[in-house]
Amino acid sequence: MVASPEQEHPKKAIGWAARDTSGVLSPFNFSRRETGEKDVAFKVLYCGICHSDLHMVKNEWGSSTYPLVPGHEIVGVVTEVGSKVQNIKVGDKVGVGCMVGSCRSCDSCADHLENYCPKMILTHSAKNYDGTITYGGYSDIMVADEHFIVRIPENLPLDGAAPLLCARITTYSPLRHFGLDKPGMHVGVVGLGGLGHVAVKFAKALGVKVTVISTSPKKKTEAVEHLHADSFLVSTDQNEMQAAMGTMDGIIDTVSAVHPLVPLIGLLKTQGKIVMVGAPEKPLELPVFPLIMGRKIIGGSCIGGMKETQEMINFAAKHNITADIEVIPIDYVNTAMDRLVKADVRYRFVIDIGNTLKASS
């Protein structure tokens, strides 16, 4: 048997990993593969905590492999590049998002939609081409193929840019793909959490009229005064919802809990569309009649391909869009996960890997 590059010349790495479905993370020593001819190695400085990290460490989607090093909102500074790397050099600010590989030959890959490739390789807890398991960004170093590296513009702060690599492309992509990016359009954003707050920022930067839709009246001030949404709807207030019926061109639904779709469908204009980007653990009830009567559409969207992700990062830099974050040390990660369950964060945790990982380990 031929040894894999990781086995021949391993790079020693440290990180934090979950060992079982309890989801508790603790220090973990492992190895990264040697930098190949098309690879970029970088020192991880920050890594965002995504709600899907929580699902994965507890194996709530049934696909986790332990030990599991989470993290797919990874940013840092390049320390080494392979001999055939063309567009990245040592010292560049870069990032890695949700994927580190794809087949590069299917129709999706040819259309720059690597995120929909049947052989797409996730950044953590997935099987790599050499049979090893991928480890995520709760770690000190990262190695990935240049194709899956995102270049971070100089004016974007790395801590605020980290969550853009997952939650932000997840909202930017459907705005673009479903044509909800035209100035003067009216778009609703359901949920004002990690996904929703940047959906508002992107939509406003695109010149779109934005209404935030939430079950919590307390979020109105945040939505309108801080994020500059044009209006706010309490989804449980029948009078407010009735007054807004038939006014929206589209809705970006970021909620990951079970919730009714009928009131949201009613907000759409004829031929309007709802795009689901949240991932509820249980199926939602889908009423067909309201769709038929208005030629309305319910669709879905998942992150973006590498070309679109780079486009999103460049757009964010141009419009000074970053996530609203709470920076934490690595040894706070278990507490952060507990708080995430309670939605007790505004709006995204980001781990200060560069300054706290080695000290904690």
Side-chain angles (χ1 to χ4, degrees):
M1 179 180 294
V2 178
S4 70
E6 179 176 323
Q7 293 168 329
E8 291 176 350
H9 303 289
K11 290 180 179 293
K12 293 182 178 180
I14 56 174
W16 277 49
R19 269 68 170 196
D20 53 42
T21 56
S22 69
V24 175
L25 293 108
S26 58
F28 174 60
N29 294 311
F30 64 103
S31 62
R32 299 280 189 195
R33 70 171 182 265
E34 181 66 15
T35 308
E37 59 184 14
K38 294 183 179 180
D39 283 340
V40 173
F42 64 93
K43 178 181 179 181
V44 178
L45 297 181
Y46 296 97
C47 185
I49 297 180
C50 178
H51 204 278
S52 60
D53 293 345
L54 180 62
H55 290 302
M56 289 297 293
V57 298
K58 294 186 176 182
N59 198 27
E60 292 176 344
W61 292 336
S63 60
S64 301
T65 300
Y66 298 100
L68 191 157
V69 178
H72 53 256
E73 299 174 350
I74 316 163
V75 293
V77 176
V78 176
T79 56
E80 186 180 13
V81 297
S83 59
K84 293 187 178 180
V85 170
Q86 297 181 342
N87 299 311
I88 296 172
K89 64 184 185 301
V90 172
D92 284 352
K93 294 163 62 176
V94 297
V96 165
C98 298
M99 56 186 168
V100 291
S102 69
C103 77
R104 310 285 294 278
S105 61
C106 67
D107 289 345
S108 291
C109 287
D111 288 339
H112 305 289
L113 295 171
E114 300 91 344
N115 50 313
Y116 298 119
C117 172
K119 297 182 180 179
M120 185 260 287
I121 300 173
L122 294 173
T123 302
H124 56 75
S125 200
K127 186 171 287 189
N128 220 326
Y129 295 120
D130 62 3
T132 59
I133 300 301
T134 58
Y135 293 122
Y138 295 14
S139 56
D140 61 339
I141 59 174
M142 188 72 192
V143 180
D145 186 290
E146 178 187 19
H147 184 79
F148 296 92
I149 295 285
V150 178
R151 296 178 300 282
I152 309 295
E154 283 298 323
N155 67 306
L156 272 182
L158 285 178
D159 53 0
L164 298 177
L165 295 169
C166 174
R168 293 20 174 191
I169 185 59
T170 298
T171 55
Y172 179 88
S173 183
L175 286 168
R176 288 297 204 187
H177 176 76
F178 288 95
L180 300 175
D181 57 351
K182 310 297 188 294
M185 279 187 158
H186 186 186
V187 172
V189 175
V190 185
L192 197 63
L195 287 167
H197 88 285
V198 178
V200 175
K201 291 185 179 185
F202 276 135
K204 290 295 295 181
L206 290 164
V208 173
K209 178 183 176 182
V210 180
T211 295
V212 171
I213 306 161
S214 175
T215 58
S216 175
K218 296 178 181 179
K219 292 188 176 182
K220 181 175 182 178
T221 299
E222 176 74 7
V224 175
E225 295 184 9
H226 176 65
L227 296 173
H228 307 296
D230 298 279
S231 56
F232 184 89
L233 286 177
V234 179
S235 58
T236 54
D237 187 316
Q238 294 185 3
N239 292 331
E240 288 189 13
M241 295 292 283
Q242 182 67 31
M245 284 187 68
T247 63
M248 298 182 188
D249 298 285
I251 292 173
I252 304 295
D253 188 336
T254 73
V255 176
S256 291
V258 175
H259 59 288
L261 293 176
V262 172
L264 301 179
I265 295 171
L267 296 174
L268 295 175
K269 297 177 182 178
T270 299
Q271 301 190 97
K273 57 202 73 170
I274 295 175
V275 186
M276 310 297 296
V277 297
E281 293 178 23
K282 296 180 180 179
L284 303 183
E285 183 178 347
L286 178 61
V288 175
F289 193 73
L291 299 178
I292 294 173
M293 296 309 296
R295 194 192 254 175
K296 299 174 183 179
I297 294 172
I298 295 181
S301 185
C302 175
I303 59 172
M306 296 312 302
K307 181 179 180 180
E308 188 174 48
T309 301
Q310 188 65 60
E311 174 190 309
M312 176 275 302
I313 286 286
N314 294 343
F315 181 88
K318 179 179 179 180
H319 294 275
N320 296 312
I321 296 173
T322 57
D324 290 9
I325 61 173
E326 180 178 335
V327 179
I328 63 169
I330 187 66
D331 57 10
Y332 189 78
V333 67
N334 289 308
T335 301
M337 290 286 189
D338 291 339
R339 286 178 56 191
L340 191 59
V341 172
K342 303 171 185 175
D344 178 24
V345 57
R346 183 183 173 274
Y347 286 97
R348 205 71 161 188
F349 288 115
V350 173
I351 307 169
D352 183 352
I353 298 289
N355 288 318
T356 69
L357 178 58
K358 289 184 178 179
S360 297
S361 298

